[in-house]
């Protein structure tokens, strides 16, 4: 550890397995949490998650738990009214993330191939995986890489669905 540098772990979900089995930590997260004494804290997205974790696992020092909500600000009422006027494209799906291997963008591209659906990919990356995604999209009549957007809320408003194919999001393999 570097002097003067805090080390925390972000908990995207409660990671305690099913609701019926509250005493079980998922394998990937269990190691970190069971060894959290070496961390300066655990960061939860909501107070409910932090409280649920503290209740389920009283052996952990809950004074080191912090609640750090998502940074996206609430949309003001005027913007919400404007967004409601945007007509959704019934054939448009989007994905918005880093273009990195764990996000499995190629699965989203495969999902629209051979259908009347179109996929717009928002995000950026500069490694071999990003080049693979660019090549797949270039060869596809159904997918295009649009880069980073300055208007994510507007992009979500005009699309009919969001494809989330990540291996590590709290709700992977879902279409929203």
């Amino acid at each position: 550890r570097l002097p003067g540098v805090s080390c925390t772990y972000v908990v995207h979900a409660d990671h305690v397995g099913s609701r019926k089995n509250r005493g079980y930590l998922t394998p990937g997260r269990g190691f970190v949490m069971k060894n959290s004494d070496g961390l300066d804290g655990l960061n939860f997205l909501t107070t409910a998650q932090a409280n649920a974790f503290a209740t389920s696992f009283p052996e952990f020092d809950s004074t080191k738990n912090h609640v750090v909500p998502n940074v996206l600000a609430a949309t003001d009422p005027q913007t919400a009214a404007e967004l409601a006027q945007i007509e959704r494209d019934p054939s448009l799906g989007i994905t918005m993330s880093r273009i990195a291997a764990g996000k499995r963008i190629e699965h989203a591209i495969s999902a629209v191939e051979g259908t009347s659906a179109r996929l717009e990919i928002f995000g950026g990356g500069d490694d071999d995986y990003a080049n693979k995604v660019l090549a797949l999209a270039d060869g596809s009549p159904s997918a295009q890489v649009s880069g980073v957007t300055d208007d994510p809320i507007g992009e979500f408003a005009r699309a009919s669905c969001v494809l989330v194919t990540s291996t590590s999001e709290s709700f992977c393999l879902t279409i929203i």
Side-chain angles (χ1 to χ4, degrees):
R1 301 222 1 204
L2 297 172
V5 176
S6 295
C7 184
T8 64
Y9 182 77
V10 177
V11 182
H12 285 267
D14 61 12
H15 296 290
V16 293
S18 73
R19 293 189 186 277
K20 294 178 184 174
N21 187 10
R22 299 296 290 177
Y24 171 75
L25 284 171
T26 58
R29 304 305 185 257
F31 176 80
V32 172
M33 293 177 189
K34 287 179 181 176
N35 294 285
S36 65
D37 288 343
L39 297 172
D40 295 307
L42 297 174
N43 297 332
F44 295 87
L45 292 176
T46 67
T47 301
Q49 287 175 335
N51 291 343
F53 186 83
T55 299
S56 297
F57 303 100
E59 67 272 21
F60 295 115
D61 180 3
S62 64
T63 62
K64 297 187 334 181
N65 291 350
H66 308 282
V67 175
V68 182
N70 284 326
V71 297
L72 182 63
T75 304
D76 69 53
Q78 182 176 350
T79 304
E82 291 168 3
L83 290 172
Q85 298 304 312
I86 294 174
E87 186 173 332
R88 290 188 186 273
D89 181 337
S91 65
L92 179 62
I94 66 170
T95 185
M96 191 175 298
S97 68
R98 280 181 303 111
I99 299 179
K103 301 298 183 180
R104 301 191 309 187
I105 307 295
E106 75 277 13
H107 289 218
I109 294 171
S110 294
V112 299
E113 286 300 319
T115 72
S116 60
R118 295 178 300 108
L119 175 67
E120 234 178 296
I121 303 162
F122 292 96
D126 58 3
D127 61 5
D128 290 338
Y129 180 78
N131 291 331
K132 174 184 171 181
V133 168
L134 286 169
L136 284 171
D138 282 346
S140 170
S142 303
Q144 75 176 44
V145 177
S146 297
V148 177
T149 179
D150 292 332
D151 184 22
I153 294 172
E155 301 301 347
F156 285 120
R158 70 183 184 84
S160 289
C161 68
V162 179
L163 281 76
V164 182
T165 52
S166 171
T167 59
S168 61
E169 300 299 334
S170 299
F171 45 87
C172 63
L173 303 178
T174 57
I175 297 176
I176 301 173

